[in-house]
């Protein structure tokens, strides 16, 4: 059984751990909890930054224990375009219809080009070039309209 892992961003950077919602009368905080030496630390994260780990490693990972190379929801990947040999496809990892996909235009997920994430990484050699929180400009101007799911 796979272990679920989440990542979230706050002012101090990225945190990896369990997803947690904390509700009070006036506040609803979403964040990541990390167990460290018998204590639990809660980091309040930007809700838009939180993404689930896919369990798939970036092709640039040197070994299986290189967890910084795990692909998360919200990561931006690049892969060669097999149809137009001198171009590349850039997309964002999203959860769609029960699986993780690489979507060329996540804002229009129903109609944009999509590739199964495992096939994109292992078959098409897609690799991480950034994430939607720190590099949103990487997705601008990407408009490939052929669907491959």
């Amino acid at each position: 059984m796979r272990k679920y892992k989440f990542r979230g961003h706050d002012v101090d950077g990225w945190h990896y751990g369990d997803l947690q919602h904390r509700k009070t009368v006036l506040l609803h905080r979403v964040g990541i909890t990390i167990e460290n030496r018998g204590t639990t630390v809660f980091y309040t994260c930007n809700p838009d930054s939180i993404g689930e780990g896919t369990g798939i490693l970036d092709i640039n990972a040197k070994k299986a224990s290189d967890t910084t190379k795990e692909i998360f929801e919200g990561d931006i990947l690049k892969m060669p375009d097999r149809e137009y040999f001198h171009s590349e496809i850039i997309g964002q990892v999203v959860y769609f219809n029960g699986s993780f996909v690489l979507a060329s235009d996540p804002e229009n997920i129903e109609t944009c080009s999509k590739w199964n994430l495992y096939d994109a990484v292992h078959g098409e050699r897609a690799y991480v070039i950034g994430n939607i929180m720190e590099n949103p400009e990487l997705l601008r101007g990407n408009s490939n309209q052929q669907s491959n799911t």
Side-chain angles (χ1 to χ4, degrees), residues 2-21:
R2 102 177 167 97
K3 181 177 176 6
Y4 293 95
K5 186 189 321 182
F6 291 85
R7 147 182 106 173
H9 192 269
D10 69 3
V11 293
D12 294 323
W14 291 101
H15 303 285
Y16 299 82
D18 294 325
L19 178 65
Q20 189 172 56
H21 293 266

Side-chain angles (χ1 to χ4, degrees), residues 58 60 69-71 75-78 126-131:
D58 183 15
N60 294 322
K69 297 292 185 178
E70 181 176 353
I71 298 173
D75 279 342
I76 299 172
L77 279 65
K78 181 190 287 189
Y127 57 95
V128 176
I129 59 170
N131 62 67

Side-chain angles (χ1 to χ4, degrees), residues 34-135:
I34 299 173
E35 295 278 334
N36 188 8
R37 298 183 185 168
T39 62
T40 302
V41 180
F42 178 79
Y43 296 94
T44 302
C45 297
N46 177 340
D48 294 334
S49 75
I50 293 179
E52 184 177 350
T54 64
I56 299 172
L57 295 180
D58 183 15
I59 60 172
N60 294 322
K62 302 292 186 239
K63 54 188 177 282
S65 63
D66 192 355
T67 56
T68 59
K69 297 292 185 178
E70 181 176 353
I71 298 173
F72 281 81
E73 210 174 348
D75 279 342
I76 299 172
L77 279 65
K78 181 190 287 189
M79 69 181 183
D81 187 341
R82 299 283 186 219
E83 190 171 329
Y84 303 100
F85 293 107
H86 297 292
S87 66
E88 296 171 318
I89 297 167
I90 295 176
Q92 180 182 338
V93 176
V94 295
Y95 191 77
F96 179 72
N97 281 348
S99 66
F100 289 104
V101 297
L102 183 61
S104 64
D105 184 4
E107 298 295 320
N108 300 304
I109 190 70
E110 293 289 335
T111 58
C112 76
S113 297
K114 296 173 282 298
W115 298 264
N116 175 281
L117 182 61
Y118 182 87
D119 293 342
V121 171
H122 294 285
E124 302 297 328
R125 309 296 294 168
Y127 57 95
V128 176
I129 59 170
N131 62 67
I132 197 63
M133 287 303 297
E134 297 171 319
N135 317 100

